[in-house]
Amino acid sequence: MTKTLYLMRHGETLFNQQKKIQGWCDSPLTEKGIKQAQIAGDYFKDRNIIFDSAYASTSERASDTLEQVTDKPYQRVKGLKEWNFGRFESESESLNPPLPYGDYFAGYGGEEEFQFRQRVSEALMDIMKEAGETVLAVSHGAACRQFMRNWAHTSEIDQKDRLGNCCILKFEFEQDTFKLIEIINHDFSSLD
């Protein structure tokens, strides 16, 4: 049986607005972030997409986003947390090294890139093995990107698109394999 995973990034946060690095540290959704999540929720409602199961990172910004998208009960999963940026947490984004980051943050108490990618990928594999047919998981920008990279070999979608706040990645899951089907970035220009 083919299952569907909708992997979504959280809405805009205070730290996003202030251009601060936000991994394991957390900041609240802004008013704009709440409205972004509601627009994403409308995307699902307009298409009659009903979730059998819902999951969120243990970070408050992810669970708050999920609660704006659906009123379905959900589980919080530590494996869906953002990259641990170590001593760079809550510092200015201007301190980020050039992409790709690789293992840069591991030298400052954070996670190695492969360790992070594996954590997120294992969490989503476990979720999809247990979950119903249609699943929502709310996570983070780098977590979504690393998961896409882990499964790039199965997908034909151009993965260079920006993963904006409340971006939705639609994956098919069958025989322990994920395939990226679509990247949905919403138009939030009316919120500016």
Side-chain angles (χ1 to χ4, degrees), residues 41-99:
D42 289 342
Y43 171 87
F44 294 116
K45 288 181 191 116
D46 293 347
R47 287 156 183 78
N48 294 316
I49 297 168
I50 298 168
F51 306 112
D52 296 307
S53 312
Y55 301 84
S57 154
T58 52
S59 297
E60 187 175 299
R61 61 192 186 267
S63 55
D64 286 353
T65 297
L66 186 144
E67 291 170 11
Q68 294 295 322
V69 171
T70 181
D71 57 4
K72 180 152 191 73
Y74 65 95
Q75 293 180 33
R76 298 176 79 208
V77 179
K78 284 186 180 183
L80 296 179
K81 282 180 77 164
E82 182 59 293
W83 200 329
N84 179 349
F85 295 115
R87 292 196 297 263
F88 283 82
E89 293 280 341
S90 78
E91 297 293 339
S92 170
E93 288 180 359
S94 66
L95 297 176
N96 274 333
L99 290 170

Side-chain angles (χ1 to χ4, degrees), residues 23 70 159 171:
T70 181
Q159 298 191 7
F171 287 90

Side-chain angles (χ1 to χ4, degrees), residues 7 13 16 22 24 37 40 55 60 71-72 81 93 96 107 112 114 120 136 143 149 175 191:
L7 178 60
T13 66
N16 291 149
Q22 182 174 225
W24 281 19
Y55 301 84
E60 187 175 299
D71 57 4
K72 180 152 191 73
K81 282 180 77 164
E93 288 180 359
N96 274 333
E112 295 176 1
F114 181 74
V120 174
L136 172 65
R149 285 187 180 138
Q175 297 178 344
L191 303 178

